[in-house]
Amino acid sequence: MSKRKILSAILYPALSLLPPKKGVTVLTLHNIYPQDYLWFEHLIEKLAQIYEFLDPSNLKGELRAPTKFPKILLTFDDGFHSNKILAERILAKYGVKAIFFITEGFIGIKKDKIGEFVKNSFYPKSKNLRLNNILNAPMSWTDVRWLAKNGHVIGAHTKTHPSLSKLISHDSLIEEIVISADAIEGKIGAKINCFAFPFGTLDSVNKDAIDLAKKRFEFVFSNIRGSVSESPGSHFIFRQNIVPNDPIWLVRMVIEGKLDWKYAKLRKLAKSRYQI
């Protein structure tokens, strides 16, 4: 069990008494293996009974609108084929729409290149990582177009998923942030106005990357924990990462902001460091 789950379980009796935060919480998921599909369906079914899922096609009107109870915006990062399967089998069943932030260079990559790309781009710090190419397969462009045609929103997630703060030249930033998004637009025939920073931590972005994303996109998402209402603006939106087999009670605490106190200093630092 992770440290987060252990701490949350210990503090649950006290934290459960706190009133839920109002506004929108953005949930982030990545690849989900077939053995976790039932967990995902159970999660969506239960959350849909308790909360309202936002329609991502109307973010401008709803993302910061006042609410009496927490709402959820569902997002997926990277562009794994499992995401499309879950959208078709489960999200459609419960009428839930999501934003799919895709890494342009990953979509449709040849099978023999999957392991190398996933290891180097998505899990660069993991040692001795063994990957199954089938379980880590990307979506095809046909899959991405299917998502767009069925009411989901496609967002950009760079071309190769680098830590943007480590890119040396401004031209490299432009290629990863702007040119890759323009390429996605051309391939799916839909406007791309949302972007998510790879990794999304404080150290993986810098002011140049943030400023460039501001010019290109209407909404930019980080991976720093917090609610939308606490975000410094529409170009550095806080999100809450969840992983397969997180229990429902833990996800509910995340949605209702009952664990956000742990990340208050980080959110403050994000606002001050980049003057967002």
Side-chain angles (χ1 to χ4, degrees):
M1 183 180 289
S2 69
K3 292 181 180 179
R4 181 174 68 120
K5 289 182 182 179
I6 294 172
L7 179 62
S8 300
I10 293 172
L11 297 177
Y12 179 77
L15 295 177
S16 62
L17 299 176
L18 295 174
K21 287 184 179 180
K22 298 178 181 179
V24 177
T25 294
V26 185
L27 295 183
T28 306
L29 289 149
H30 295 78
N31 194 15
I32 298 179
Y33 289 168
Q35 62 262 31
D36 296 316
Y37 287 1
L38 285 177
W39 165 84
F40 180 78
E41 178 163 11
H42 181 63
L43 176 72
I44 296 300
E45 179 185 18
K46 292 299 180 183
L47 295 184
Q49 292 172 357
I50 302 168
Y51 309 100
E52 178 182 345
F53 281 90
L54 250 63
D55 182 348
S57 65
N58 188 29
L59 290 186
K60 192 170 184 178
E62 295 192 40
L63 195 59
R64 288 184 175 273
T67 64
K68 294 183 179 180
F69 203 65
K71 292 185 179 182
I72 303 169
L73 173 62
L74 188 64
T75 68
F76 292 83
D77 282 6
D78 302 336
F80 288 99
H81 181 60
S82 66
N83 299 170
K84 190 265 182 179
I85 294 173
L86 295 174
E88 190 172 22
R89 296 182 185 178
I90 299 172
L91 296 186
K93 181 177 179 180
Y94 296 95
V96 174
K97 305 300 181 183
I99 302 178
F100 294 82
F101 292 105
I102 63 171
T103 304
E104 186 233 334
F106 182 50
I107 304 303
I109 196 172
K110 292 182 179 179
K111 185 177 179 180
D112 61 346
K113 300 292 184 181
I114 292 174
E116 179 183 3
F117 190 100
V118 171
K119 181 178 180 181
N120 293 337
S121 297
F122 299 145
Y123 306 109
K125 295 183 179 180
S126 298
K127 297 180 179 180
N128 302 317
L129 185 65
R130 294 184 178 181
L131 295 170
N132 182 304
N133 285 352
I134 295 176
L135 296 180
N136 290 280
M139 285 189 271
S140 66
W141 287 108
T142 299
D143 293 332
V144 177
R145 285 188 285 269
W146 182 92
L147 290 171
K149 289 179 181 178
N150 283 273
H152 299 284
V153 169
I154 304 302
H157 199 41
T158 71
K159 182 179 179 64
T160 63
H161 203 274
S163 178
L164 294 172
S165 61
K166 295 180 180 178
L167 297 182
I168 298 174
S169 72
H170 188 67
D171 287 346
S172 295
L173 279 176
I174 292 175
E175 182 177 1
E176 291 287 347
I177 296 173
V178 179
I179 295 177
S180 65
D182 294 345
I184 295 171
E185 282 189 346
K187 289 175 180 176
I188 70 172
K191 185 173 178 58
I192 304 297
N193 68 350
C194 296
F195 178 79
F197 291 115
F199 308 108
T201 62
L202 278 181
D203 294 332
S204 63
V205 297
N206 56 26
K207 194 172 186 303
D208 287 344
I210 292 171
D211 289 344
L212 195 59
K214 279 183 180 180
K215 294 177 181 178
R216 174 58 178 80
F217 305 98
E218 190 172 1
F219 301 98
V220 180
F221 294 77
S222 73
N223 205 31
I224 293 176
R225 291 184 178 275
S227 66
V228 172
S229 63
E230 295 173 300
S231 303
S234 297
H235 292 97
F236 202 81
I237 299 168
F238 297 147
R239 294 194 288 172
Q240 301 275 13
N241 189 65
I242 60 173
V243 297
N245 295 309
D246 273 352
I248 297 293
W249 63 263
L250 177 58
V251 177
R252 288 196 63 186
M253 289 181 72
V254 167
I255 293 169
E256 296 180 11
K258 295 179 179 180
L259 298 175
D260 287 354
W261 55 272
K262 288 182 60 181
Y263 310 97
K265 291 183 179 179
L266 187 61
R267 291 193 297 272
K268 184 177 180 180
L269 183 59
K271 295 176 183 179
S272 61
R273 180 182 292 188
Y274 299 121
Q275 299 178 351
I276 305 167

